[in-house]
């Protein structure tokens, strides 16, 4: 009942942001499926409502899929390809293997779309639309989603390993990885705000809670209690509890809001990569942005929407030449 009320309350006011789509030479448009699959947005929205009500964590899963897809070869659905005897995918790359879950959720949405509009809507577009709807369904902002992506026939284990930021990574390295994708420091801080929902595995925050957590949180008694609870979930030994999970935002874990930035200002960021944005000696600019978003949720929502569109516009030029619309997101068409 509490979860249902949350959906009702946040359905009353959903911030809506609309941005210009690049000019006529740009391959993505808002009405790409107007004549070929006019119901695609409604179909995805309806299914996403069911998926998120079943488990709010599914919202974070869909957003994470989109992020991990776009940072490797552009937004082309390559992250969804299964490995075969003759094909190496991205699923077993170190940033993905213990992080990405919910492939069956994507299959579920794809199957419904295929029943409505066979061979029309790409898996890359499916991820992009689903990420937007997932955000809305847990209280986040709306934005228009340009579509028209094609699915790649290739994947890159190497780029998945090198391009995607990791939870223990330092600030300068993460900024560089975003810059390589054409994303700014402001984009990085805003997109990292998606960690206001979802959970992290012990293996991804163990070094943080047995490292400098007590330093960044300034020995605050409340923080010490929180740290003790984290250590109960995540033992110090690397051989124990690696798959145990906890919320990245321990205040409002199922609500998309600006709470994660308050967490960072308290020095309680679960992931080192997040906390670095506020406490790193190199983080003068990121510290200012974190403070701004903590103070002004509307500013965060607006920039998050802009940055999601910008990230979704990272394209694989090869997929527009020889790409396809996969019948199954797991395999290249034969």
């Amino acid at each position: 009942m509490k979860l249902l009320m949350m959906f009702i309350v946040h359905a009353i006011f959903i911030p809506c942001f609309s941005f210009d789509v690049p000019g006529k030479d740009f391959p993505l448009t808002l009405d790409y499926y107007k004549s070929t699959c006019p119901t695609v947005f409604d179909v995805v929205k309806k299914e996403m409502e069911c998926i998120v009500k079943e488990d709010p964590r599914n919202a974070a899963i869909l957003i994470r899929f989109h992020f991990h897809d776009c940072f490797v070869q552009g937004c082309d659905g390559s992250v969804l390809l299964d490995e075969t005897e003759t094909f190496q995918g991205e699923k077993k790359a170190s940033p993905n293997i213990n992080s990405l879950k919910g492939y069956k959720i994507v299959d579920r949405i794809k199957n419904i779309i295929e029943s409505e509009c066979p061979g029309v809507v790409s898996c890359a577009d499916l991820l992009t639309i689903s990420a937007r709807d997932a955000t809305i369904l847990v209280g986040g902002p709306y934005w228009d989603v340009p579509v028209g992506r094609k699915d790649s026939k290739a994947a890159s284990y190497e780029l998945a390993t090198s391009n995607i930021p990791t939870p223990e990574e330092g600030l300068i390295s993460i900024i560089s990885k975003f810059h390589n994708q054409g994303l700014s420091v402001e984009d990085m801080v805003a997109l990292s705000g998606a960690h206001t929902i979802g959970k992290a595995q012990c293996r991804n925050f163990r070094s943080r809670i047995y490292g400098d957590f007590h330093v960044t949180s300034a020995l605050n008694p409340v923080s010490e209690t929180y740290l003790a609870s984290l250590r109960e979930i995540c033992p110090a030994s690397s051989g124990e509890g690696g798959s145990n999970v906890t919320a990245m935002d321990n205040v409002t874990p199922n609500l998309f809001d600006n709470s994660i930035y308050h967490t960072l200002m308290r020095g309680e960021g679960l992931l080192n990569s997040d906390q670095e944005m506020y406490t790193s000696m190199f983080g003068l600019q990121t510290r200012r942005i974190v403070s701004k978003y903590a103070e002004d949720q509307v500013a965060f929502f607006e920039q998050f929407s802009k940055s999601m569109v910008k990230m979704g516009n990272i394209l694989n030029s090869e997929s527009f030449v020889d790409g396809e619309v996969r019948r199954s997101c797991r395999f290249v068409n034969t």
Side-chain angles (χ1 to χ4, degrees):
M1 179 61 71
K2 183 177 179 181
L3 177 59
L4 179 59
M5 288 302 297
M6 185 192 79
F7 284 119
I8 293 173
V9 169
H10 288 277
I12 295 174
F13 173 69
I14 298 176
C16 176
F17 301 102
S18 181
F19 310 104
D20 292 334
V21 178
K24 63 181 181 180
D25 294 330
F26 200 76
L28 305 183
T29 65
L30 298 177
D31 61 354
Y32 182 84
Y33 294 115
K34 183 177 181 179
S35 60
T36 56
C37 192
T39 61
V40 58
F41 288 100
D42 291 333
V43 170
V44 174
K45 178 184 176 182
K46 182 178 179 180
E47 193 58 27
M48 282 301 301
E49 287 174 349
C50 297
I51 288 168
V52 173
K53 285 181 181 179
E54 290 168 8
D55 185 350
R57 188 184 178 190
N58 289 335
I61 287 172
L62 269 300
I63 296 171
R64 188 176 298 171
F65 264 127
H66 183 44
F67 180 90
H68 283 228
D69 185 37
C70 293
F71 264 59
V72 181
Q73 303 183 162
C75 311
D76 61 359
S78 60
V79 70
L80 301 173
L81 289 169
D82 278 354
E83 294 204 359
T84 69
E85 291 182 358
T86 58
F87 180 87
Q88 184 177 37
E90 299 166 13
K91 292 183 178 182
K92 294 183 179 179
S94 55
N96 292 339
I97 190 168
N98 292 313
S99 177
L100 294 183
K101 311 291 182 182
Y103 293 100
K104 291 182 179 179
I105 295 174
V106 179
D107 294 339
R108 172 175 163 182
I109 302 171
K110 176 62 170 174
N111 289 339
I112 293 173
I113 292 176
E114 284 295 301
S115 67
E116 289 276 332
C117 312
V120 174
V121 180
S122 68
C123 299
D125 276 345
L126 181 157
L127 289 182
T128 311
I129 299 168
S130 298
R132 188 275 308 274
D133 290 347
T135 303
I136 296 170
L137 287 166
V138 287
Y142 169 94
W143 63 90
D144 293 323
V145 177
V147 288
R149 298 164 189 81
K150 296 297 182 184
D151 296 323
S152 68
K153 296 179 181 178
S156 178
Y157 177 94
E158 291 76 15
L159 291 180
T161 302
S162 62
N163 286 11
I164 299 171
T166 63
E168 298 180 357
E169 203 157 354
L171 182 63
I172 298 301
S173 177
I174 295 174
I175 289 174
S176 176
K177 288 185 176 182
F178 274 78
H179 176 76
N180 291 341
Q181 301 298 330
L183 298 171
S184 68
V185 171
E186 184 108 25
D187 294 321
M188 181 199 74
V189 179
L191 291 171
S192 297
H195 288 167
T196 194
I197 57 173
K199 297 183 178 182
Q201 293 187 343
C202 165
R203 59 172 55 90
N204 290 326
F205 62 84
R206 177 182 280 120
S207 63
R208 164 83 174 124
I209 64 174
Y210 291 98
D212 68 346
F213 188 103
H214 67 287
V215 176
T216 61
S217 60
L219 301 177
N220 181 310
V222 176
S223 298
E224 287 294 306
T225 301
Y226 175 45
L227 177 58
S229 69
L230 291 175
R231 288 179 172 177
E232 287 183 8
I233 295 169
C234 185
S237 172
S238 60
E240 299 179 36
S243 60
N244 294 348
V245 298
T246 192
M248 289 181 279
D249 173 3
N250 69 317
V251 179
T252 54
N254 294 326
L255 178 63
F256 195 101
D257 58 11
N258 64 343
S259 176
I260 188 69
Y261 298 110
H262 292 278
T263 298
L264 300 183
M265 292 180 70
R266 293 193 302 271
E268 295 179 353
L270 185 65
L271 303 182
N272 181 73
S273 55
D274 286 344
Q275 190 59 50
E276 282 267 300
M277 295 189 295
Y278 192 74
T279 54
S280 171
M281 62 183 294
F282 304 109
L284 183 63
Q285 182 182 7
T286 56
R287 183 184 179 95
R288 176 184 57 79
I289 299 170
V290 167
S291 299
K292 178 176 72 172
Y293 293 161
E295 180 180 344
D296 187 349
Q297 180 167 282
V298 173
F300 163 48
F301 277 13
E302 182 172 5
Q303 185 59 51
F304 183 81
S305 301
K306 288 180 179 178
S307 298
M308 285 294 281
V309 172
K310 188 174 178 181
M311 183 179 73
N313 290 345
I314 302 172
L315 302 178
N316 180 347
S317 58
E318 292 184 7
S319 71
F320 283 95
V321 176
D322 64 356
E324 61 183 8
V325 173
R326 292 185 213 131
R327 291 186 292 272
S328 165
C329 293
R330 293 175 180 266
F331 302 103
V332 173
N333 294 339
T334 56

